[in-house]
Amino acid sequence: MLYREAGQFKTTYFSDMAVFRLREDRTGLAVVVVAAYGLAFVGTDFLLQAVLIPFLVFSLAAIGLNILTGYAGQLSLGTGAFMGVGAYSCYKLMTAFPDVNVIIWILVSGLFSAAVGALFGLPSLRIKGFYLAVATLAAQFFLQWCFIRVPWLVNYNVSGALDAPLRTVFSIPVVGATATSQARYIVVLTLVIALTWLASNLVRGRIGRMWIAVRDMDLAAELIGIRPLQTKLLAFAVSSYYCGVAGALMVFLWYGGAEYDVFNINQSFFILFMVIIGGLGSLIGSFFGAALIFIMPILLGIILPALLVPFGLSIGAETIEHLRFMIVGALIIFFLIVEPHGLARLWQIGKQKLLVWPFPY
Amino acid sequence: MRPPLQPNRDTDNTLLAVENVSLRFGGVKALTGVSFDIRKGEIRAIIGPNGAGKTSMLNCINGFYHPTDGRIIFKGEMRRKMRPHVAARGGIARTFQNVALFKSMSTLDNIMVGRSLKMKAGFFWQLLRYGPAIEEEVAHRKVVEDIIDFLQIPHIRRTPVGRLPYGLQKRVELGRALAMEPDLLLLDEPMAGMNLEEKEDMARFIIEVNQQFGTTVALIEHDMSVVMDLSDRVVVLEYGRKIADGTPEQVKSDARVIDAYLGVAH
Ligand SMILES: Nc1ncnc2c1ncn2[C@@H]1O[C@H](COP(=O)(O)OP(=O)(O)OP(=O)(O)O)[C@@H](O)[C@H]1O
Ligand SMILES: [Mg+2]
């Protein structure tokens, strides 16, 4: 079956406004979702625990940052810290009220990071671009200081680290040492799908248009009645919500415990790279970016040694590690040169071409 | 000597009154003691040589600049330091001398975003894109499609506006302003840089908007023939001061206008 727009006429504005206007796109999405759930049953522990769960967690954080930076145009370097707020609030909530379903606490913990994010978004009324980035850097350092210095956040435990107590959903452990990677994966996947769907609703409607308007030209946005501060703060809040949930998932469903330093500035940059490589202002780009930056090095780690075997070469793990960094670095530069608007744009162009294939246009 | 403010202003018919407005940027006097009014339902032109302060005047009216002196009364209400988004909520829309569209958005979305103020569905409905959110989206989309048809630009519906030629961008910008259903529409040189045909289209749109919807229009324009054809009354500015005010015929035969504006510019 070919990828074609022909014959799929939109007779109502409603159907014309759907996310996926083409039947092929909808089918494609359904296949991906089914396959993703299928992997829970056929995937190895390594695949689920070390590849897919982190990929989904990073994708969610990237969506969060993309809402703020890609859609609303506000540069932030506080992503790591906002993820931390989610993780620490989730820890406090699930230890204070152990009987409440942990998924509820994961979702609620995002509200705390949303509030903190909106607070640190206040300077955005006055400052833009790099200056705003510096202001969010202040958030990064201040919050990280709190994670280290406020022992109340980790219930005064001596290690100062977050641990993952056993928590179950339908009496299946999903958090804690006994949780299987299958159970964790299904929980993470479901949350990421649901939150992505909500984000896509938001960015396609009035709020998303207002964010883009503020990004493209904030003065003109104000002249058509958009309140700049509210609009930006909402972007900070929603963005930090996503980052917060991603942070909670990261600690409790991926790492199974963590120290404050996973929420450092490197994490913020890591997510920012994903967003830029994937495509600013694109939700699907957030997934592409997370895949390129997180999965690509893992693949290289597997493929490189295998490639060298036929030549009778064997290189040390350390050299492979270095090679990985170099290749991923080169790929990032390559993609940025080929398409500064990110992988999402390449994807878009590819689909456009396919629509009219085999004709050039 | 400037005449005192007229106390017998016809308040019922006046949509906007500019009283003694001055605007300074450091040493530059962009406007000095300018007074005039705009009546409901009229097309009011503001003309004057380059740098006369026309754009600055519009900027004061919609709260982009705040006059250093004087006051602006809109719908019988005076607001000091009104912010542009408050002006927009009050029913003032405008277009810019150098198009200010949202470049990455399509024509459709640019006009749709002009409806933002009219859309009420709350955050949680928006999240679900269900119920009131989607109903409202469809309803406003219809209005936007009507505007697109009215401006005869259905073929560029989905084109990102950054890729459109200048003349069409100006049209889309008018569409975005119309989407706000304003009481007062401020147009800053809506026909600048257009060819004759495009100018005629634009003039027709302005007249139709004015007559069909009763929208009051204030426009800045350099092309005198357009001004004479379109406007009910004309204000002439020079070096930030008002030098004439009246019907096109009156203004055209005013010695100071001929001297200062028409004589120099043409
Ligand atoms: N933001 C600003 N800062 C400093 N000076 C300004 C500013 N805006 C306008 N001016 C000055 O005010 C004067 C009037 O400018 P304005 O743009 O209102 O003129 P105009 O009548 O619209 O001219 P044009 O026909 O060229 O558009 C000019 O001397 C201009 O340099
Ligand atoms: Mg001007």
Side-chain angles (χ1 to χ4, degrees):
Chain A
M1 196 170 71
L2 286 171
Y3 188 69
R4 283 290 184 271
E5 195 165 9
Q8 301 187 33
F9 298 111
K10 301 293 172 272
T11 47
T12 63
Y13 294 133
F14 180 80
S15 60
D16 195 44
M17 290 183 316
V19 208
F20 299 104
R21 291 171 59 240
L22 299 187
R23 197 184 308 115
E24 287 83 349
D25 282 333
R26 290 191 292 271
T27 322
L29 180 74
V31 169
V32 169
V33 168
V34 170
Y37 276 104
L39 281 175
F41 302 97
V42 297
T44 61
D45 266 355
F46 172 79
L47 181 67
L48 297 180
Q49 187 65 39
V51 179
L52 293 177
I53 291 179
F55 161 69
L56 289 169
V57 167
F58 283 128
S59 301
L60 192 64
I63 286 176
L65 182 60
N66 218 333
I67 285 172
L68 184 62
T69 304
Y71 284 92
Q74 311 297 307
L75 191 53
S76 162
L77 293 177
T79 317
F82 298 141
M83 290 170 77
V85 174
Y88 280 89
S89 2
C90 189
Y91 185 70
K92 288 304 286 184
L93 289 166
M94 68 192 215
T95 49
F97 309 95
D99 298 329
V100 178
N101 190 319
V102 65
I103 291 178
I104 291 177
W105 286 144
I106 289 171
L107 291 173
V108 169
S109 64
L111 297 177
F112 287 82
S113 50
V116 173
L119 185 68
F120 282 101
L122 280 173
S124 66
L125 180 65
R126 285 299 168 87
I127 52 181
K128 293 175 192 166
F130 290 120
Y131 297 94
L132 180 63
V134 172
T136 57
L137 206 55
Q140 173 70 43
F141 289 127
F142 172 73
L143 291 169
Q144 214 180 321
W145 179 87
C146 294
F147 301 152
I148 303 171
R149 300 286 163 193
V150 185
W152 174 80
L153 286 174
V154 289
N155 294 342
Y156 302 98
N157 80 27
V158 278
S159 67
L162 293 169
D163 53 35
L166 177 69
R167 292 290 182 272
T168 58
V169 173
F170 304 128
S171 56
I172 300 166
V174 295
V175 172
T178 50
T180 62
S181 33
Q182 186 187 49
R184 296 175 188 214
Y185 173 72
I186 290 176
V187 169
V188 174
L189 181 64
T190 308
L191 286 177
V192 169
I193 289 176
L195 287 169
T196 306
W197 175 67
L198 294 177
S200 107
N201 287 340
L202 215 49
V203 298
R204 282 180 304 133
R206 169 173 61 94
I207 292 173
R209 283 191 298 268
M210 285 164 64
W211 283 339
I212 298 174
V214 166
R215 174 193 76 190
D216 279 5
M217 197 178 268
D218 53 354
L219 288 176
E222 190 170 355
L223 291 167
I224 58 172
I226 294 173
R227 289 194 182 100
L229 184 62
Q230 271 99 324
T231 310
K232 289 177 187 174
L233 288 188
L234 184 63
F236 266 98
V238 174
S239 157
S240 307
Y241 180 88
Y242 278 76
C243 293
V245 171
L249 291 178
M250 174 181 236
V251 171
F252 301 108
L253 283 100
W254 171 22
Y255 287 164
E259 299 215 30
Y260 64 87
D261 62 350
V262 303
F263 304 114
N264 63 16
I265 181 79
N266 287 347
Q267 197 68 269
S268 301
F269 276 115
F270 202 55
I271 311 287
L272 185 62
F273 290 156
M274 292 177 184
V275 171
I276 293 175
I277 299 285
L280 288 163
S282 160
L283 294 183
I284 196 167
S286 308
F287 288 92
F288 291 155
L292 188 82
I293 298 219
F294 182 77
I295 298 185
M296 187 70 89
I298 298 177
L299 280 183
L300 285 175
I302 300 167
I303 293 170
L304 278 181
L307 278 182
L308 294 171
V309 167
F311 301 100
L313 293 169
S314 73
I315 45 177
E318 221 164 284
T319 322
I320 289 191
E321 188 76 357
H322 293 311
L323 268 177
R324 257 163 55 172
F325 275 117
M326 284 161 61
I327 294 177
V328 170
L331 276 175
I332 289 175
I333 293 170
F334 171 76
F335 278 118
L336 283 181
I337 292 172
V338 174
E339 184 49 74
H341 297 287
L343 301 174
R345 181 66 67 86
L346 283 178
W347 172 252
Q348 207 60 43
I349 294 171
K351 283 209 306 188
Q352 282 299 331
K353 292 243 162 78
L354 198 57
L355 268 180
V356 291
W357 182 85
F359 310 101
Y361 41 81
Chain B
M1 268 297 285
R2 210 180 299 126
L5 298 178
Q6 299 106 310
N8 55 347
R9 212 169 9 90
D10 179 0
T11 40
D12 280 340
N13 209 11
T14 305
L15 182 64
L16 180 106
V18 174
E19 294 177 353
N20 242 326
V21 162
S22 299
L23 178 70
R24 264 190 305 278
F25 297 103
V28 182
K29 287 182 176 171
L31 295 168
T32 315
V34 177
S35 304
F36 66 92
D37 64 348
I38 299 176
R39 294 186 198 138
K40 273 181 201 144
E42 75 173 338
I43 298 184
R44 185 72 145 133
I46 303 175
I47 64 170
N50 288 105
K54 306 177 297 292
T55 300
S56 303
M57 191 69 244
L58 291 196
N59 284 341
C60 287
I61 292 175
N62 82 332
F64 196 56
Y65 293 160
H66 302 297
T68 18
D69 231 325
R71 45 187 210 162
I72 295 175
I73 297 168
F74 178 59
K75 293 184 181 169
E77 245 182 275
M78 192 197 67
R79 294 224 188 83
R80 288 220 114 245
K81 305 242 161 176
M82 176 173 58
R83 302 271 320 211
H85 68 82
V86 180
R89 276 154 213 268
I92 302 180
R94 80 172 278 189
T95 65
F96 289 80
Q97 194 166 341
N98 338 294
V99 184
L101 285 170
F102 307 119
K103 293 264 180 308
S104 64
M105 287 195 215
S106 64
T107 299
L108 200 58
D109 282 343
N110 263 282
I111 302 179
M112 198 74 180
V113 85
R115 304 288 301 171
S116 298
L117 278 187
K118 311 242 171 241
M119 301 178 80
K120 303 279 184 253
F123 180 77
F124 288 97
W125 288 119
Q126 302 261 349
L127 265 182
L128 300 174
R129 208 175 159 80
Y130 184 74
I134 194 72
E135 282 161 20
E136 150 181 286
E137 193 86 4
V138 171
H140 288 274
R141 171 77 184 266
K142 284 204 182 81
V143 178
V144 168
E145 292 288 347
D146 288 344
I147 292 173
I148 287 178
D149 288 343
F150 169 71
L151 295 174
Q152 300 168 345
I153 46 177
H155 53 293
I156 56 164
R157 195 189 267 119
R158 293 195 180 277
T159 317
V161 292
R163 285 197 225 142
L164 295 174
Y166 190 69
L168 284 179
Q169 292 200 7
K170 287 231 147 196
R171 238 187 245 199
V172 176
E173 203 189 15
L174 176 64
R176 187 180 68 190
L178 291 179
M180 293 166 67
E181 296 177 22
D183 299 315
L184 176 60
L185 180 59
L186 309 172
L187 305 173
D188 197 343
E189 305 198 13
M191 297 161 204
M194 289 186 169
N195 62 33
L196 189 63
E197 197 185 331
E198 289 174 322
K199 275 188 186 179
E200 280 171 356
D201 282 341
M202 189 53 105
R204 208 183 62 240
F205 296 143
I206 294 172
I207 293 174
E208 273 182 44
V209 167
N210 176 252
Q211 290 182 345
Q212 281 186 17
F213 312 111
T215 308
T216 310
V217 178
L219 80 132
I220 297 175
E221 186 49 59
H222 279 295
D223 188 328
M224 288 307 287
S225 63
V226 169
V227 171
M228 297 301 151
D229 286 352
L230 279 183
S231 51
D232 298 308
R233 292 191 302 151
V234 184
V235 184
V236 190
L237 299 179
E238 188 200 21
Y239 296 121
R241 291 173 189 274
K242 183 170 99 171
I243 57 166
D245 188 349
T247 62
E249 288 72 30
Q250 288 169 342
V251 165
K252 203 158 51 173
S253 51
D254 187 300
R256 288 183 69 186
V257 177
I258 296 171
D259 213 35
Y261 180 67
L262 302 174
V264 178
H266 298 272

